[in-house]
Amino acid sequence: MDIYREQIIDLHEHPLNFGELETADFCHEDDNPLCGDIIRIAINLDDSGRVYQVGWTGSGCAISQAAASLLTETIKGMSLTDIQTFPPERLLDLIGVPLSQARRKCALLPLKVLQAGVSGAVSTDE
Amino acid sequence: MLDVEKIRADFPILSVEAYPGVPLVYLDSAASSQKPEVVLAAMDAYYRQINANVHRGIHRLSEDATNAYEAARLKIARFINAPDESQIIYVRNATEGFNLVAYSWGRQNIQAGDEILLTEMEHHANLVPWQMLAEEKGAVVRYIPFLADGTLDLSRLDGLLTERTKLFSFTAVSNVFGTINPVRQLVDAGHAVGAVVMVDAAQAVPHTAVDVQAWDCDFMTFSGHKMCGPTGIGILYGKRRLLESMPPFMGGGDMIRRVTLEGSTWNDLPWKFEAGTPSIAEGIGLGTAVDYLAGIGMDNIHAHEQFITHYALEALSEIKGITLYGPPASQRAGVATFTIQGIHPHDISEVVDKDGIAIRAGHHCAMPLHLRLNVSATARASFYLHTTTQEIDKLVASLNRTRKLFRL
Ligand SMILES: Cc1ncc(COP(=O)(O)O)c(C=O)c1O
């Protein structure tokens, strides 16, 4: 039962950065229709273009929820380029439990949402 | 009553451990059933002793292979009480059965403005082919809704079946609720407005005695892999008049009578619809599965599943925070679909898996049904002739442990 180590259950009970932002520089939402997990991430950038505020909402399994907490915590202070090049392995490392192929999709959904949101924001800037 | 211990010994996989020291508790037969030794042996013997292409050779092996393959067709015809084995068309699975009818019959008979009536509890296999056909032809798809208890809202039938309804297709047994639908009543209602009626029997043929003549349906389809047979083989049954009027589905070898460079003429039923080298071992395997099930008796299997389902629904309903979907046990097949407040079905499935218990989590290829229930996913335990009450007890204990793990 090691995939549900204490930290995953803690984050399930008390997610980090959970909630809407009043205003956001950009936000993005996507789902994993296969399991119905849905995640929305909103971000505010500071003057130097780094993340200073992030909020997420959504519903899904404990793995996708824990991943959203861990990811949003980690990207604080990052530039958009840092986010775009954020390697999936790093998020899997943060989760720190062995995941089957099917559950990797759950774990990586928040990163997919975040990177799609950044790409959208960058392309509308140009 | 079934001698369940004896039946369990027929299935080699049931003595395989899920994890070292953890016995397998297989509660996912609705997705795909396990295979008894006799089916495995029949397929193995085909490859070892009579492997050859069918309908083409005049050598000993080809004759034997053809005979075994066609003998299986006859057994399957008898199993569902089809008038004649030429109305038993081998397909890959139920999904292909629907697609065959949608392409061949549908393209010839459905026109702009026509209506196709389905239900909101259908598997995607009985939704998507019709939606594609309707899109192509400018036809309209309508749906019979279901009630809170997971039974069809039959009060809507009269309004939804009209002279515009050209096809009515519905499932005999819901793969999510387990609901056993009143097939004959629905078929008669469809025929009363002149519609062609197709039945999804993927969850019916494995679990109950099915008689296509008593149903009086025009088409019916099911998959071998859910009824102790192999993957890659399924059956489409059709009324002769309809099958004869339909153009072939796929072209190629076996389905022709004569080919010239100017064109071709079609083979007789059922081969008109069976282009190319078929799944020979799988056809023989399904024939053996039918012998196996018939030997035990479909009424005995149904009675056992009824007993297990009653037991399971009662035991599961004791779990705190559980929601069970579907009608009372007496009106359903061996399926228990549920959610537990505060735990996503994927997490449930993953935790119980570590106790060796295989259940399904997700939308079970019925997204519209889940949308109607307003849940993104559910967990489903499904039962078969080898399921025991001890296995249900293990599931309940494991679900209670899951709740603890999630601090509920
Ligand atoms: C009710 C029902 N119809 C159709 C199907 C499709 O079966 P297959 O995937 O074997 O074509 C299934 C299988 O899940 C089913 O449960």
Side-chain angles (χ1 to χ4, degrees):
Chain A
M1 227 168 276
D2 39 347
I3 107 158
Y4 295 101
R5 64 193 176 100
E6 290 291 301
Q7 189 198 10
I8 303 283
I9 304 291
D10 286 342
L11 290 172
H12 185 67
E13 257 184 320
H14 308 290
L16 307 172
N17 309 309
F18 189 83
E20 302 273 358
L21 300 184
E22 295 246 304
T23 60
D25 286 335
F26 65 87
C27 78
H28 191 72
E29 178 180 306
D30 203 357
D31 65 352
N32 181 352
L34 219 61
C35 47
D37 289 358
I38 180 159
I39 287 192
R40 176 187 179 85
I41 301 183
I43 291 223
N44 278 316
L45 302 174
D46 64 16
D47 293 343
S48 63
R50 289 178 177 273
V51 176
Y52 85 93
Q53 209 181 23
V54 48
W56 72 273
T57 53
S59 63
C61 65
I63 299 298
S64 68
Q65 306 271 293
S69 284
L70 293 164
L71 179 68
T72 49
E73 198 59 12
T74 308
I75 59 165
K76 286 178 186 164
M78 282 190 181
S79 69
L80 295 189
T81 320
D82 293 339
I83 291 176
Q84 278 175 312
T85 56
F86 194 100
E89 295 72 33
R90 183 159 169 208
L91 180 54
L92 296 176
D93 283 348
L94 284 169
I95 296 166
V97 291
L99 293 176
S100 65
Q101 212 51 37
R103 298 314 290 280
R104 271 167 170 254
K105 284 211 189 80
C106 308
L108 294 177
L109 176 64
L111 184 60
K112 192 179 122 195
V113 170
L114 182 67
Q115 289 180 333
V118 169
S119 297
V122 170
S123 64
T124 47
D125 276 359
E126 277 161 5
Chain B
M1 281 299 266
L2 294 187
D3 183 349
V4 180
E5 277 321 305
K6 186 163 162 285
I7 284 172
R8 291 181 70 81
D10 294 338
F11 290 81
I13 208 167
L14 295 182
S15 49
V16 170
E17 291 180 335
Y19 297 101
V22 182
L24 172 68
V25 175
Y26 190 75
L27 298 177
D28 199 17
S29 292
S32 198
S33 69
Q34 298 302 346
K35 324 302 174 200
E37 178 65 37
V38 282
V39 169
L40 305 175
M43 294 172 67
D44 190 65
Y46 160 75
Y47 281 123
R48 287 177 192 278
Q49 291 158 25
I50 58 170
N51 175 58
N53 213 326
V54 289
H55 306 136
R56 329 197 156 175
I58 34 179
H59 53 77
R60 202 273 293 172
L61 290 185
S62 179
E63 288 256 317
D64 285 357
T66 305
N67 288 342
Y69 182 67
E70 292 301 333
R73 194 193 305 269
L74 181 60
K75 291 176 191 174
I76 296 160
R78 290 193 175 136
F79 189 63
I80 60 167
N81 196 31
D84 194 83
E85 71 267 28
S86 64
Q87 292 164 268
I88 299 296
I89 295 157
Y90 282 127
V91 289
R92 275 190 310 137
N93 45 38
T95 301
E96 189 171 300
F98 286 112
N99 279 279
L100 192 159
V101 176
Y103 276 86
S104 172
W105 180 88
R107 283 192 168 162
Q108 202 171 47
N109 290 282
I110 297 290
Q111 290 162 9
D114 284 349
E115 293 184 6
I116 297 171
L117 182 62
L118 309 174
T119 85
E120 286 188 352
M121 63 168 72
E122 298 308 315
H123 186 281
H124 296 166
N126 192 22
L127 291 172
V128 182
W130 308 121
Q131 290 174 342
M132 290 165 69
L133 176 67
E135 172 87 28
E136 182 184 319
K137 296 290 189 178
V140 180
V141 186
R142 300 202 182 280
Y143 302 92
I144 304 175
F146 54 79
L147 301 166
D149 67 353
T151 60
L152 288 176
D153 184 354
L154 296 176
S155 72
R156 300 289 304 279
L157 203 56
D158 272 352
L160 285 166
L161 271 174
T162 70
E163 71 283 359
R164 287 187 304 278
T165 313
K166 291 289 151 26
L167 179 97
F168 178 22
S169 187
F170 60 88
T171 194
V173 173
S174 159
N175 66 318
V176 180
F177 297 132
T179 318
I180 300 172
N181 285 321
V183 175
R184 179 62 197 243
Q185 183 190 343
L186 294 171
V187 170
D188 286 349
H191 285 165
V193 297
V196 161
V197 184
M198 180 158 190
V199 178
D200 180 347
Q203 298 292 351
V205 174
H207 304 285
T208 56
V210 165
D211 179 335
V212 285
Q213 296 187 69
W215 277 357
D216 195 31
C217 52
D218 298 300
F219 295 109
M220 176 273 229
T221 188
F222 57 96
S223 295
H225 69 94
K226 292 182 197 286
M227 52 186 288
C228 298
T231 54
I233 192 84
I235 298 297
L236 171 69
Y237 157 83
K239 281 193 180 155
R240 172 173 292 284
R241 164 181 61 80
L242 286 165
L243 292 175
E244 278 175 348
S245 73
M246 286 157 57
F249 175 37
M250 287 191 273
D254 252 15
M255 51 73 70
I256 40 76
R257 177 180 306 287
R258 187 189 306 280
V259 179
T260 65
L261 294 182
E262 285 70 46
S264 311
T265 54
W266 314 136
N267 202 340
D268 294 333
L269 291 175
W271 306 288
K272 178 170 89 175
F273 294 107
E274 297 179 359
T277 300
S279 300
I280 304 166
E282 288 75 9
I284 293 169
L286 180 56
T288 310
V290 157
D291 282 342
Y292 176 76
L293 293 172
I296 292 166
M298 293 312 293
D299 290 340
N300 295 330
I301 292 172
H302 180 66
H304 176 70
E305 288 180 23
Q306 273 285 300
F307 163 68
I308 292 290
T309 306
H310 271 99
Y311 186 88
L313 292 184
E314 202 163 305
L316 287 167
S317 68
E318 306 275 309
I319 295 172
K320 279 208 199 76
I322 200 166
T323 304
L324 283 154
Y325 301 91
S330 58
Q331 292 170 48
R332 69 159 97 187
V335 169
T337 293
F338 58 93
T339 50
I340 296 177
Q341 178 72 35
I343 320 176
H344 191 280
H346 274 191
D347 295 320
I348 297 174
S349 178
E350 179 117 22
V351 177
V352 302
D353 172 68
K354 297 298 176 286
D355 289 335
I357 302 171
I359 61 170
R360 179 137 182 218
H363 52 59
H364 322 299
C365 295
M367 281 181 147
L369 179 155
H370 281 80
L371 210 61
R372 267 296 301 273
L373 291 178
N374 211 6
V375 292
S376 60
T378 54
R380 178 185 74 187
S382 54
F383 320 126
Y384 210 1
L385 68 169
H386 47 65
T387 308
T388 64
T389 52
Q390 291 91 315
E391 289 181 307
I392 305 298
D393 294 343
K394 281 190 188 177
L395 172 67
V396 171
S398 187
L399 290 172
N400 279 321
R401 262 202 298 287
T402 310
R403 289 190 74 250
K404 280 221 186 67
L405 180 72
F406 275 78
R407 300 172 191 161
L408 293 169

